[in-house]
Amino acid sequence: MIKTNKDKLVIQSVQGKISSPAAGNNPYRIDREGLAHILPATGGICYNVKIGDSCMKWVGDHIEPGVSIKSDNAADNNALVLLACIGNEAKVITGNAKGAKGFVTGMHGGIDHTLIYFKDRDLENMAIGDTILVKAYGQGLAIEGYEDVKCMNIDPNLFDKLNIKETSDGIIEVPVVTEIPAYLMGSGVGSTTAFSGDYDIMTGDKRANEKFGINELKFGDLVLLKDSDNTNGRQYLEGSVSIGVIVHSDCIKSGHGPGVTVIMSSKTSKIKGIIDDKANIGNYLGIL
């Protein structure tokens, strides 16, 4: 079994409020063909968009499954999206759903939302402005004997459930639903760190969407990003490998598409993907 330093990691509180969808004076979103649309987008409570659903079918832009939270204080929110990790326990601490528990499913850069799964009955009792506390646990996670593999953004208890295997020649095998070439990675490339937020798989090329299984992607799916280095910022690097989780929906804008929050990265090919159509955090967390 893969050994980590999880017993040395700090569990720390961060929190935010359910964030309302927002619109500017110009309500239109411009698609890849230059056409204007009025569509649902980020924020709020999405009642019918969930982990395990297709991330490609929705009439919307950057749709976030479940509940989107944010702190009103910029520095506090920076800490929330930096320290919260996929799989962390989240608890409602105000409002009619007080006491309900869920878990973090991803972080969305740019809008800087933290995304959280809750059961349907709890969603019905929530309202915009309710406060949710997250037990942040995972940043600093490391695999013993693999200093060239950097882990990030994942709860160590979820990490243990991914059925990661170590080969005799020192390769880490991780289940993924598909592999994505670096040339399809778009919005977010060049960010200074992958420890916060996400970046997008571009979906403007319909043949590539079919070839690489992008049309079949679901919220919560694990994917492998080839030649994509996320160890210190996001860049192309031949031979590098990253593993990430699909966190938001497809988009209509050029250079955008399903968002990926990275959970592992190596500048070398120490990580290998094993294709498994059940490689989804919903399966590992027991909600699918």
Side-chain angles (χ1 to χ4, degrees), residues 229-256:
D229 175 25
N230 282 257
T231 56
N232 294 291
R234 302 187 180 106
Q235 65 172 354
Y236 171 83
L237 179 65
E238 185 176 1
S240 63
V241 181
S242 294
I243 303 290
V245 176
I246 300 297
V247 298
H248 69 65
S249 81
D250 191 19
C251 314
I252 66 170
K253 295 181 178 180
S254 294
H256 291 256

Side-chain angles (χ1 to χ4, degrees), residues 33-91:
E33 308 304 322
L35 302 176
H37 302 264
I38 294 179
L39 296 168
T42 56
I45 303 166
C46 281
Y47 298 97
N48 64 332
V49 182
K50 306 174 186 300
I51 292 296
D53 288 346
S54 168
C55 68
M56 299 294 291
K57 72 175 185 178
W58 302 99
V59 182
D61 187 77
H62 291 81
I63 299 297
E64 300 167 337
V67 175
S68 305
I69 70 169
K70 190 171 188 175
S71 174
D72 295 333
N73 179 285
D76 291 355
N77 195 62
N78 288 342
L80 172 59
V81 296
L82 182 69
L83 298 177
C85 292
I86 295 172
N88 285 168
E89 179 185 289
K91 183 178 180 180

Side-chain angles (χ1 to χ4, degrees), residues 163-222:
N163 195 30
I164 296 172
K165 299 185 184 302
E166 181 182 13
T167 68
S168 58
D169 55 350
I171 302 298
I172 295 175
E173 295 182 338
V174 185
V176 295
V177 300
T178 192
E179 298 187 356
I180 306 295
Y183 61 78
L184 288 181
M185 298 312 298
S187 178
V189 170
S191 297
T192 56
T193 181
F195 278 76
S196 179
D198 73 304
Y199 72 138
D200 289 7
I201 302 170
M202 294 187 288
T203 51
D205 187 316
K206 292 182 179 179
R207 287 180 293 182
N209 295 345
E210 185 70 26
K211 178 179 180 180
F212 297 105
I214 297 168
N215 291 332
E216 310 306 317
L217 287 176
K218 300 177 178 64
F219 297 110
D221 277 351
L222 273 68

